[in-house]
Amino acid sequence: MNPTVIPALVAASVDREVGPRRPGAIYQNIDGRFEVLALVTDPREAAKLLRRDSARWAVIVRDTLRPDGQPFAIGSVWTTSDHLIREGKPTPVYVAAA
């Protein structure tokens, strides 16, 4: 496989996993209603935010149903149980080299 194709494949995979969660988006699932504050695609920073050994991305959200909702990082993939309420800014996914 051509080495220049690999980053594009990784970015496409991350884009599918993140779904429409771009800064400014609001989505809801069984856990709450969340505003997306940031999308982190630097693997080192994402792993640090998620307190994991490795991660390709992280989304920083705030639960809008809680008046005291504090921002926190998540790494769960977008599923059919997630429902987009408001679209975010059209931000392409760029994955930094690991």
Side-chain angles (χ1 to χ4, degrees):
M1 182 176 280
N2 182 338
T4 59
V5 173
I6 293 171
L9 291 175
V10 170
S13 175
V14 168
D15 192 50
R16 281 190 304 279
E17 292 172 3
V18 170
R21 292 178 289 190
R22 300 296 186 270
I26 295 179
Y27 71 99
Q28 187 166 342
N29 59 30
I30 195 162
D31 297 321
R33 184 182 310 143
F34 305 97
E35 178 183 16
V36 177
L37 303 176
L39 170 60
V40 178
T41 57
D42 179 291
R44 289 185 189 130
E45 187 64 26
K48 206 182 318 179
L49 287 167
L50 296 170
R51 297 181 178 103
R52 297 182 185 167
D53 291 335
S54 66
R56 294 191 301 173
W57 56 269
V59 178
I60 300 173
V61 299
R62 180 181 64 85
D63 190 341
T64 62
L65 296 177
R66 296 175 156 234
D68 63 340
Q70 296 297 310
F72 61 97
I74 61 167
S76 56
V77 300
W78 183 262
T79 69
T80 57
S81 65
D82 297 313
H83 303 283
L84 187 64
I85 295 172
R86 179 180 79 194
E87 287 189 29
K89 300 171 189 151
T91 308
V93 171
Y94 298 104
V95 179

Coordinates of all heavy atoms in Angstrom, one line a residue:
M1 N 0.8 -1.2 0.0 CA 0.0 0.0 0.0 C 0.9 1.2 0.0 O 1.9 1.3 0.7 CB -0.9 0.0 1.2 CG -1.9 1.2 1.3 SD -3.0 1.1 2.7 CE -4.2 -0.1 2.0
N2 N 0.5 2.2 -0.7 CA 1.2 3.5 -0.8 C 1.2 4.2 0.5 O 0.1 4.4 1.1 CB 0.5 4.3 -1.9 CG 1.2 5.6 -2.1 OD1 1.9 6.1 -1.3 ND2 0.9 6.2 -3.3
P3 N 2.3 4.6 1.1 CA 2.4 5.2 2.4 C 1.5 6.5 2.5 O 1.1 6.9 3.6 CB 3.8 5.5 2.7 CG 4.6 4.9 1.6 CD 3.6 4.4 0.5
T4 N 1.3 7.2 1.4 CA 0.5 8.4 1.5 C -1.0 8.1 1.6 O -1.7 9.0 2.0 CB 0.8 9.3 0.2 OG1 0.4 8.6 -1.0 CG2 2.2 9.7 0.2
V5 N -1.4 6.9 1.3 CA -2.8 6.5 1.4 C -3.2 6.3 2.8 O -4.3 6.5 3.2 CB -3.1 5.3 0.5 CG1 -4.5 4.8 0.7 CG2 -2.8 5.7 -1.0
I6 N -2.2 5.8 3.6 CA -2.6 5.4 5.0 C -3.1 6.6 5.8 O -4.2 6.4 6.5 CB -1.3 4.8 5.7 CG1 -1.0 3.4 5.0 CG2 -1.5 4.6 7.2 CD1 0.2 2.8 5.4
P7 N -2.5 7.8 5.8 CA -3.1 8.8 6.6 C -4.5 9.2 6.1 O -5.4 9.5 7.0 CB -2.1 10.0 6.4 CG -0.8 9.4 6.1 CD -1.2 8.1 5.3
A8 N -4.8 9.1 4.8 CA -6.1 9.4 4.3 C -7.1 8.3 4.8 O -8.2 8.7 5.2 CB -6.1 9.4 2.8
L9 N -6.7 7.1 4.9 CA -7.6 6.0 5.4 C -7.8 6.2 6.9 O -9.0 6.0 7.3 CB -7.0 4.6 5.1 CG -6.9 4.2 3.7 CD1 -6.1 2.9 3.6 CD2 -8.2 4.1 3.1
V10 N -6.8 6.6 7.6 CA -7.0 6.8 9.1 C -7.9 8.0 9.3 O -8.9 7.9 10.1 CB -5.6 7.1 9.8 CG1 -5.8 7.5 11.2 CG2 -4.8 5.8 9.7
A11 N -7.8 9.1 8.5 CA -8.6 10.2 8.7 C -10.1 9.9 8.3 O -11.0 10.3 9.0 CB -8.2 11.4 7.8
A12 N -10.3 9.1 7.3 CA -11.6 8.6 6.9 C -12.3 7.8 8.0 O -13.4 7.9 8.4 CB -11.6 7.9 5.6
S13 N -11.5 6.9 8.6 CA -11.9 6.1 9.7 C -12.3 6.9 11.0 O -13.4 6.7 11.6 CB -10.9 5.0 10.1 OG -11.3 4.3 11.2
V14 N -11.5 7.9 11.3 CA -11.7 8.8 12.4 C -13.0 9.6 12.1 O -13.8 9.8 13.0 CB -10.5 9.7 12.7 CG1 -10.9 10.8 13.6 CG2 -9.4 8.9 13.2
D15 N -13.1 10.1 10.9 CA -14.3 10.8 10.5 C -15.6 10.0 10.7 O -16.6 10.5 11.3 CB -14.2 11.3 9.1 CG -15.2 12.3 8.7 OD1 -15.4 13.3 9.5 OD2 -15.9 12.1 7.7
R16 N -15.6 8.7 10.4 CA -16.8 7.9 10.6 C -17.0 7.7 12.1 O -18.1 7.7 12.5 CB -16.5 6.5 9.9 CG -16.8 6.5 8.4 CD -16.8 5.1 7.9 NE -15.6 4.4 8.1 CZ -14.5 4.5 7.4 NH1 -14.4 5.3 6.4 NH2 -13.5 3.7 7.7
E17 N -15.9 7.5 12.9 CA -16.1 7.2 14.3 C -16.6 8.4 15.0 O -17.4 8.3 15.9 CB -14.8 6.8 14.9 CG -14.3 5.4 14.4 CD -12.9 5.1 14.8 OE1 -12.3 5.8 15.6 OE2 -12.4 4.0 14.4
V18 N -16.1 9.6 14.7 CA -16.5 10.9 15.3 C -18.0 11.2 14.9 O -18.7 11.8 15.7 CB -15.5 12.0 15.0 CG1 -16.1 13.3 15.5 CG2 -14.2 11.7 15.6
G19 N -18.3 10.9 13.7 CA -19.6 11.3 13.2 C -19.7 12.8 13.0 O -18.8 13.4 12.7
P20 N -20.9 13.4 13.2 CA -21.1 14.8 13.0 C -20.7 15.7 14.2 O -21.1 16.8 14.3 CB -22.6 14.9 12.7 CG -23.2 13.8 13.5 CD -22.2 12.7 13.5
R21 N -19.9 15.1 15.1 CA -19.5 15.9 16.3 C -18.4 16.8 16.0 O -17.2 16.4 16.2 CB -19.2 14.9 17.5 CG -20.4 14.2 18.0 CD -20.0 13.2 19.1 NE -19.3 12.1 18.5 CZ -19.0 11.0 19.1 NH1 -19.3 10.8 20.4 NH2 -18.3 10.0 18.6
R22 N -18.7 18.0 15.6 CA -17.8 19.0 15.3 C -18.0 20.2 16.3 O -19.2 20.3 16.8 CB -17.9 19.5 13.8 CG -17.7 18.5 12.8 CD -16.2 18.0 12.8 NE -15.9 17.1 11.7 CZ -16.1 15.8 11.7 NH1 -16.6 15.2 12.8 NH2 -15.8 15.0 10.7
P23 N -17.1 21.0 16.5 CA -17.3 22.1 17.4 C -18.6 22.9 17.1 O -18.9 23.2 16.0 CB -16.1 23.0 17.2 CG -15.0 22.0 16.9 CD -15.7 21.0 16.0
G24 N -19.4 23.1 18.1 CA -20.7 23.8 18.0 C -21.9 22.9 17.8 O -23.0 23.3 18.0
A25 N -21.6 21.6 17.5 CA -22.7 20.6 17.4 C -23.4 20.3 18.7 O -22.7 20.4 19.8 CB -22.2 19.4 16.7
I26 N -24.6 20.0 18.7 CA -25.3 19.5 19.9 C -26.0 18.2 19.5 O -26.6 18.1 18.4 CB -26.4 20.5 20.4 CG1 -25.7 21.8 20.9 CG2 -27.2 19.9 21.5 CD1 -26.7 22.9 21.4
Y27 N -25.7 17.2 20.3 CA -26.4 15.9 20.1 C -26.9 15.3 21.4 O -26.5 15.8 22.5 CB -25.4 14.9 19.4 CG -24.3 14.5 20.3 CD1 -24.3 13.2 20.9 CD2 -23.1 15.2 20.5 CE1 -23.3 12.8 21.7 CE2 -22.1 14.8 21.3 CZ -22.2 13.5 21.9 OH -21.2 13.1 22.7
Q28 N -27.8 14.4 21.3 CA -28.4 13.8 22.4 C -28.3 12.2 22.3 O -28.4 11.7 21.2 CB -29.8 14.2 22.6 CG -30.5 13.8 23.8 CD -31.8 14.6 24.1 OE1 -32.0 15.6 23.5 NE2 -32.6 14.0 24.9
N29 N -28.2 11.6 23.5 CA -28.3 10.2 23.6 C -28.8 9.9 25.0 O -29.2 10.8 25.7 CB -27.0 9.4 23.3 CG -25.9 9.8 24.2 OD1 -26.1 10.2 25.4 ND2 -24.6 9.8 23.7
I30 N -28.8 8.6 25.3 CA -29.4 8.2 26.6 C -28.7 8.8 27.8 O -29.3 9.0 28.9 CB -29.4 6.7 26.7 CG1 -30.4 6.3 27.9 CG2 -28.1 6.1 26.9 CD1 -30.8 4.8 27.8
D31 N -27.4 9.2 27.6 CA -26.6 9.8 28.7 C -26.9 11.3 28.9 O -26.5 11.8 30.0 CB -25.2 9.5 28.5 CG -24.8 8.1 28.5 OD1 -25.4 7.3 29.3 OD2 -24.0 7.6 27.6
G32 N -27.4 12.0 27.9 CA -27.6 13.4 28.1 C -27.7 14.1 26.8 O -27.8 13.5 25.7
R33 N -27.6 15.5 26.8 CA -27.6 16.3 25.6 C -26.2 17.1 25.7 O -26.0 17.8 26.7 CB -28.7 17.3 25.6 CG -28.7 18.1 24.3 CD -29.8 19.1 24.2 NE -31.1 18.5 24.5 CZ -32.1 19.2 25.2 NH1 -31.9 20.4 25.7 NH2 -33.2 18.6 25.5
F34 N -25.4 17.0 24.7 CA -24.1 17.4 24.7 C -23.8 18.5 23.6 O -24.1 18.3 22.5 CB -23.1 16.3 24.6 CG -23.3 15.2 25.6 CD1 -24.1 14.1 25.3 CD2 -22.9 15.3 26.9 CE1 -24.3 13.1 26.2 CE2 -23.1 14.4 27.9 CZ -23.8 13.3 27.5
E35 N -23.1 19.5 24.0 CA -22.5 20.5 23.1 C -21.1 20.1 22.9 O -20.3 19.9 23.9 CB -22.6 21.9 23.7 CG -22.0 22.9 22.7 CD -22.1 24.3 23.3 OE1 -22.3 24.5 24.5 OE2 -21.9 25.3 22.5
V36 N -20.7 20.1 21.6 CA -19.3 19.7 21.3 C -18.5 21.0 21.4 O -18.7 22.0 20.7 CB -19.2 19.1 19.9 CG1 -17.7 18.9 19.6 CG2 -20.0 17.8 19.8
L37 N -17.5 21.0 22.3 CA -16.6 22.2 22.4 C -15.3 22.1 21.6 O -14.8 23.1 21.1 CB -16.2 22.3 23.9 CG -17.4 22.5 24.9 CD1 -16.9 22.5 26.3 CD2 -18.3 23.7 24.5
A38 N -14.8 20.9 21.4 CA -13.6 20.7 20.6 C -13.5 19.3 20.1 O -14.0 18.3 20.8 CB -12.4 21.0 21.5
L39 N -12.8 19.1 19.0 CA -12.5 17.8 18.5 C -11.0 17.7 18.4 O -10.3 18.6 17.8 CB -13.0 17.6 17.0 CG -12.6 16.4 16.2 CD1 -12.9 15.1 17.0 CD2 -13.1 16.5 14.8
V40 N -10.4 16.8 19.1 CA -8.9 16.7 19.3 C -8.5 15.4 18.4 O -8.9 14.3 18.7 CB -8.5 16.5 20.7 CG1 -7.0 16.3 20.9 CG2 -9.0 17.6 21.6
T41 N -7.7 15.7 17.4 CA -7.2 14.6 16.6 C -5.7 14.3 16.7 O -5.2 13.4 16.0 CB -7.6 14.9 15.1 OG1 -7.0 16.1 14.7 CG2 -9.1 14.9 14.9
D42 N -5.1 15.0 17.6 CA -3.7 14.6 17.9 C -3.7 13.4 18.8 O -4.2 13.5 19.9 CB -3.0 15.8 18.5 CG -1.5 15.5 18.9 OD1 -1.3 14.6 19.7 OD2 -0.7 16.1 18.2
P43 N -3.2 12.3 18.3 CA -3.2 11.0 19.1 C -2.7 11.1 20.5 O -3.2 10.6 21.5 CB -2.5 10.0 18.3 CG -2.6 10.5 16.9 CD -2.5 12.0 17.0
R44 N -1.6 11.8 20.7 CA -1.0 12.0 22.0 C -1.8 12.8 23.0 O -2.1 12.4 24.1 CB 0.4 12.6 21.9 CG 1.5 11.7 21.3 CD 2.8 12.4 21.4 NE 3.7 11.5 20.6 CZ 4.5 12.0 19.7 NH1 4.6 13.3 19.4 NH2 5.3 11.2 19.0
E45 N -2.4 13.9 22.4 CA -3.3 14.7 23.3 C -4.6 14.0 23.6 O -5.1 14.1 24.7 CB -3.5 16.1 22.5 CG -4.3 17.1 23.3 CD -3.5 17.6 24.6 OE1 -2.3 17.5 24.6 OE2 -4.2 18.0 25.5
A46 N -5.1 13.3 22.6 CA -6.3 12.5 22.8 C -6.1 11.5 23.9 O -7.0 11.3 24.8 CB -6.8 11.9 21.5
A47 N -5.0 10.8 23.8 CA -4.8 9.7 24.8 C -4.6 10.3 26.2 O -5.1 9.8 27.2 CB -3.5 9.0 24.4
K48 N -4.0 11.5 26.3 CA -3.8 12.2 27.6 C -5.2 12.6 28.1 O -5.5 12.4 29.3 CB -2.9 13.4 27.4 CG -2.2 13.8 28.6 CD -1.3 15.1 28.4 CE -0.6 15.1 27.1 NZ 0.2 16.4 27.0
L49 N -6.0 13.2 27.3 CA -7.3 13.6 27.7 C -8.2 12.5 28.2 O -9.0 12.6 29.1 CB -8.0 14.4 26.6 CG -7.5 15.8 26.2 CD1 -8.1 16.2 24.9 CD2 -7.9 16.7 27.4
L50 N -8.1 11.3 27.5 CA -8.9 10.2 27.8 C -8.3 9.3 28.9 O -8.9 8.3 29.3 CB -9.2 9.4 26.5 CG -10.0 10.1 25.5 CD1 -10.1 9.3 24.2 CD2 -11.4 10.4 26.0
R51 N -7.1 9.6 29.3 CA -6.3 8.8 30.3 C -6.2 7.4 29.8 O -6.5 6.4 30.5 CB -7.0 8.9 31.6 CG -7.0 10.3 32.2 CD -7.6 10.3 33.6 NE -7.6 11.7 34.2 CZ -8.7 12.5 34.2 NH1 -9.8 12.1 33.7 NH2 -8.6 13.7 34.7
R52 N -5.8 7.2 28.6 CA -5.5 5.9 28.0 C -4.1 5.8 27.5 O -3.4 6.8 27.3 CB -6.5 5.7 26.8 CG -7.9 5.7 27.1 CD -8.7 5.4 25.8 NE -10.1 5.5 26.1 CZ -11.0 5.6 25.1 NH1 -10.7 5.6 23.9 NH2 -12.3 5.7 25.4
D53 N -3.7 4.6 27.2 CA -2.4 4.4 26.6 C -2.3 4.9 25.2 O -1.3 5.4 24.7 CB -1.9 3.0 26.6 CG -1.7 2.5 28.0 OD1 -1.3 3.3 28.9 OD2 -1.8 1.2 28.3
S54 N -3.4 4.8 24.5 CA -3.5 5.3 23.1 C -4.9 5.7 22.7 O -5.9 5.1 23.3 CB -2.9 4.2 22.1 OG -3.8 3.1 22.1
A55 N -5.0 6.6 21.8 CA -6.3 7.0 21.3 C -6.0 7.8 20.0 O -5.0 8.4 19.8 CB -7.0 7.9 22.3
R56 N -6.9 7.7 19.0 CA -6.7 8.4 17.8 C -7.4 9.8 17.8 O -7.0 10.7 17.1 CB -7.3 7.6 16.6 CG -6.5 6.4 16.4 CD -6.8 5.7 15.1 NE -8.2 5.3 15.0 CZ -8.8 4.8 14.0 NH1 -8.1 4.7 12.9 NH2 -10.1 4.5 14.0
W57 N -8.4 9.9 18.7 CA -9.2 11.2 18.8 C -9.9 11.3 20.1 O -10.1 10.3 20.8 CB -10.1 11.3 17.6 CG -11.1 10.2 17.5 CD1 -10.9 9.0 16.8 CD2 -12.3 10.0 18.2 NE1 -12.0 8.2 17.0 CE2 -12.9 8.8 17.8 CE3 -13.1 10.8 19.0 CZ2 -14.1 8.3 18.3 CZ3 -14.3 10.4 19.5 CH2 -14.8 9.1 19.1
A58 N -10.4 12.5 20.4 CA -11.2 12.7 21.6 C -12.1 13.9 21.3 O -11.8 14.7 20.4 CB -10.4 13.0 22.8
V59 N -13.3 13.9 21.9 CA -14.2 15.0 21.7 C -14.5 15.6 23.1 O -14.7 14.8 24.1 CB -15.6 14.5 21.1 CG1 -16.6 15.6 21.0 CG2 -15.4 13.8 19.8
I60 N -14.3 16.9 23.2 CA -14.6 17.5 24.5 C -16.0 18.1 24.4 O -16.4 18.8 23.5 CB -13.6 18.6 24.8 CG1 -12.2 18.1 24.8 CG2 -13.9 19.4 26.0 CD1 -11.1 19.1 24.9
V61 N -16.8 17.7 25.4 CA -18.2 18.0 25.4 C -18.6 18.6 26.7 O -17.9 18.5 27.7 CB -19.1 16.8 25.1 CG1 -18.8 16.2 23.7 CG2 -19.0 15.7 26.1
R62 N -19.8 19.2 26.7 CA -20.5 19.7 28.0 C -21.9 19.3 27.9 O -22.6 19.5 26.9 CB -20.3 21.2 28.0 CG -20.9 21.9 29.2 CD -20.8 23.4 29.2 NE -21.5 24.0 28.1 CZ -22.8 24.3 28.1 NH1 -23.5 24.1 29.2 NH2 -23.4 24.9 27.1
D63 N -22.4 18.7 29.0 CA -23.8 18.3 29.1 C -24.7 19.5 29.3 O -24.6 20.1 30.4 CB -24.0 17.3 30.2 CG -25.4 16.6 30.2 OD1 -26.3 17.2 29.6 OD2 -25.5 15.5 30.8
T64 N -25.5 19.8 28.3 CA -26.3 21.0 28.4 C -27.6 20.9 29.3 O -28.2 21.9 29.6 CB -26.7 21.5 27.0 OG1 -27.6 20.5 26.4 CG2 -25.5 21.8 26.1
L65 N -27.9 19.7 29.7 CA -29.0 19.4 30.6 C -28.6 19.7 32.0 O -29.5 19.8 32.9 CB -29.5 18.0 30.4 CG -30.1 17.7 29.0 CD1 -30.5 16.2 29.0 CD2 -31.3 18.6 28.7
R66 N -27.4 19.8 32.3 CA -26.9 20.1 33.7 C -26.5 21.5 33.8 O -25.6 22.0 33.1 CB -25.7 19.2 34.0 CG -26.1 17.7 34.1 CD -24.8 16.9 34.3 NE -25.2 15.7 34.8 CZ -24.8 15.1 36.0 NH1 -23.9 15.8 36.7 NH2 -25.2 14.0 36.4
P67 N -27.1 22.3 34.7 CA -26.7 23.7 34.8 C -25.2 23.9 35.2 O -24.6 24.9 34.9 CB -27.7 24.2 35.9 CG -28.4 23.1 36.5 CD -28.2 21.9 35.6
D68 N -24.7 22.9 35.9 CA -23.3 22.9 36.4 C -22.4 22.1 35.5 O -21.3 21.7 35.9 CB -23.2 22.5 37.8 CG -23.6 21.1 38.0 OD1 -24.3 20.5 37.1 OD2 -23.2 20.5 39.0
G69 N -22.9 21.7 34.3 CA -22.1 20.8 33.4 C -20.7 21.3 33.1 O -20.6 22.4 32.5
Q70 N -19.8 20.5 33.4 CA -18.4 20.9 33.2 C -17.9 20.1 32.0 O -18.3 19.0 31.7 CB -17.5 20.5 34.4 CG -17.8 21.3 35.7 CD -17.6 22.7 35.5 OE1 -16.5 23.1 35.1 NE2 -18.5 23.6 35.9
P71 N -17.0 20.7 31.2 CA -16.4 20.0 30.0 C -15.7 18.8 30.4 O -15.0 18.7 31.4 CB -15.5 21.1 29.4 CG -16.0 22.4 29.9 CD -16.5 22.1 31.3
F72 N -15.8 17.7 29.6 CA -15.1 16.5 29.8 C -14.8 15.9 28.4 O -15.5 16.2 27.4 CB -15.8 15.6 30.7 CG -17.1 15.1 30.3 CD1 -17.3 13.9 29.6 CD2 -18.3 15.9 30.5 CE1 -18.5 13.5 29.2 CE2 -19.5 15.5 30.1 CZ -19.7 14.2 29.5
A73 N -13.8 15.0 28.4 CA -13.5 14.3 27.1 C -14.1 13.0 27.0 O -14.3 12.2 28.0 CB -12.0 14.2 27.1
I74 N -14.6 12.6 25.8 CA -15.1 11.3 25.5 C -14.4 10.7 24.3 O -13.8 11.4 23.5 CB -16.6 11.3 25.2 CG1 -16.9 12.2 24.0 CG2 -17.4 11.8 26.5 CD1 -18.4 12.1 23.5
G75 N -14.4 9.4 24.2 CA -13.8 8.7 23.1 C -14.7 7.7 22.5 O -14.3 6.8 21.8
S76 N -16.0 7.8 22.8 CA -17.0 6.8 22.2 C -17.3 7.1 20.8 O -17.5 8.3 20.4 CB -18.3 6.8 23.1 OG -18.8 8.0 23.2
V77 N -17.5 6.1 20.0 CA -17.9 6.3 18.6 C -19.3 6.7 18.4 O -20.1 6.4 19.3 CB -17.6 5.1 17.7 CG1 -16.1 4.7 17.8 CG2 -18.4 3.9 18.1
W78 N -19.6 7.4 17.3 CA -21.0 7.8 17.0 C -21.8 6.6 16.6 O -21.3 5.7 15.9 CB -20.9 8.8 15.8 CG -22.3 9.3 15.4 CD1 -23.1 8.8 14.4 CD2 -22.9 10.4 16.0 NE1 -24.2 9.6 14.3 CE2 -24.2 10.6 15.3 CE3 -22.7 11.3 17.0 CZ2 -25.1 11.6 15.6 CZ3 -23.6 12.3 17.4 CH2 -24.8 12.4 16.7
T79 N -23.0 6.4 17.2 CA -23.8 5.3 16.9 C -25.2 5.7 16.6 O -25.6 6.9 16.6 CB -23.9 4.3 18.2 OG1 -24.7 5.0 19.2 CG2 -22.5 3.9 18.7
T80 N -26.1 4.7 16.3 CA -27.4 5.0 15.9 C -28.3 5.5 17.1 O -29.3 6.1 16.9 CB -28.1 3.8 15.3 OG1 -28.1 2.7 16.2 CG2 -27.5 3.4 14.0
S81 N -27.7 5.4 18.3 CA -28.4 5.9 19.5 C -28.1 7.4 19.7 O -28.7 8.0 20.6 CB -28.1 5.1 20.7 OG -26.8 5.2 21.1
D82 N -27.2 7.9 19.0 CA -26.8 9.4 19.1 C -27.7 10.1 18.0 O -27.8 9.7 16.9 CB -25.3 9.6 18.8 CG -24.4 8.9 19.8 OD1 -24.7 9.1 21.0 OD2 -23.5 8.3 19.3
H83 N -28.2 11.2 18.5 CA -29.1 12.0 17.6 C -28.6 13.5 17.5 O -28.5 14.1 18.5 CB -30.6 12.0 18.1 CG -31.1 10.6 18.2 ND1 -31.5 9.8 17.1 CD2 -31.2 9.8 19.3 CE1 -31.9 8.6 17.5 NE2 -31.7 8.6 18.9
L84 N -28.3 13.9 16.3 CA -27.9 15.3 16.1 C -29.0 16.2 16.2 O -30.1 16.1 15.6 CB -27.2 15.4 14.7 CG -26.5 16.7 14.4 CD1 -25.3 16.9 15.3 CD2 -26.1 16.7 13.0
I85 N -28.8 17.2 17.1 CA -29.9 18.3 17.3 C -29.5 19.5 16.5 O -30.3 20.2 15.9 CB -30.0 18.6 18.8 CG1 -30.6 17.4 19.5 CG2 -30.9 19.8 19.0 CD1 -30.6 17.5 21.0
R86 N -28.2 19.9 16.6 CA -27.7 21.1 15.8 C -26.4 20.7 15.2 O -25.5 20.2 15.9 CB -27.6 22.3 16.8 CG -27.0 23.5 16.1 CD -26.9 24.7 17.1 NE -25.7 24.5 17.8 CZ -25.4 25.2 18.9 NH1 -26.2 26.1 19.4 NH2 -24.2 25.0 19.6
E87 N -26.2 21.1 13.9 CA -24.9 20.8 13.3 C -23.9 21.8 13.8 O -24.2 22.9 14.2 CB -25.0 21.0 11.8 CG -25.8 19.9 11.1 CD -25.7 20.0 9.6 OE1 -24.7 20.5 9.1 OE2 -26.7 19.5 9.0
G88 N -22.6 21.3 13.8 CA -21.5 22.1 14.2 C -20.9 22.8 13.0 O -21.4 22.7 11.9
K89 N -19.7 23.4 13.2 CA -19.0 24.0 12.1 C -18.4 22.9 11.2 O -17.9 21.9 11.7 CB -17.8 24.8 12.7 CG -18.3 25.9 13.6 CD -17.1 26.6 14.3 CE -17.7 27.5 15.3 NZ -16.8 27.7 16.5
P90 N -18.4 23.0 9.9 CA -17.9 22.0 9.0 C -16.4 22.0 9.1 O -15.7 22.7 8.4 CB -18.4 22.4 7.6 CG -18.6 23.9 7.8 CD -19.0 24.2 9.2
T91 N -15.9 21.2 10.0 CA -14.4 21.1 10.3 C -14.0 19.7 9.8 O -14.4 18.7 10.2 CB -14.1 21.2 11.8 OG1 -14.8 22.3 12.3 CG2 -12.7 21.2 12.0
P92 N -13.0 19.7 8.8 CA -12.5 18.4 8.3 C -11.7 17.8 9.4 O -11.1 18.4 10.3 CB -11.7 18.8 7.1 CG -11.3 20.2 7.3 CD -12.4 20.8 8.1
V93 N -11.5 16.5 9.4 CA -10.7 15.7 10.3 C -9.3 15.6 9.8 O -9.1 15.1 8.7 CB -11.3 14.3 10.6 CG1 -10.3 13.5 11.4 CG2 -12.6 14.4 11.3
Y94 N -8.3 16.1 10.5 CA -6.9 15.9 10.2 C -6.3 15.1 11.3 O -6.4 15.5 12.5 CB -6.2 17.3 10.1 CG -6.7 18.1 9.0 CD1 -7.6 19.2 9.3 CD2 -6.4 17.9 7.7 CE1 -8.1 20.0 8.2 CE2 -6.9 18.7 6.6 CZ -7.7 19.7 6.9 OH -8.2 20.5 5.9
V95 N -5.7 14.1 11.0 CA -5.1 13.2 12.0 C -3.6 13.5 12.0 O -2.9 13.3 11.0 CB -5.4 11.7 11.8 CG1 -4.7 10.9 12.8 CG2 -6.9 11.5 11.8
A96 N -3.0 13.9 13.1 CA -1.6 14.1 13.3 C -0.9 12.8 13.3 O -1.4 11.8 13.6 CB -1.3 14.9 14.5
A97 N 0.3 12.9 12.8 CA 1.2 11.7 12.8 C 1.4 11.2 14.3 O 1.6 12.0 15.2 CB 2.5 11.9 12.2
A98 N 1.4 9.9 14.5 CA 1.5 9.4 15.8 C 3.0 9.4 16.2 O 3.9 9.4 15.5 CB 1.0 8.0 15.9

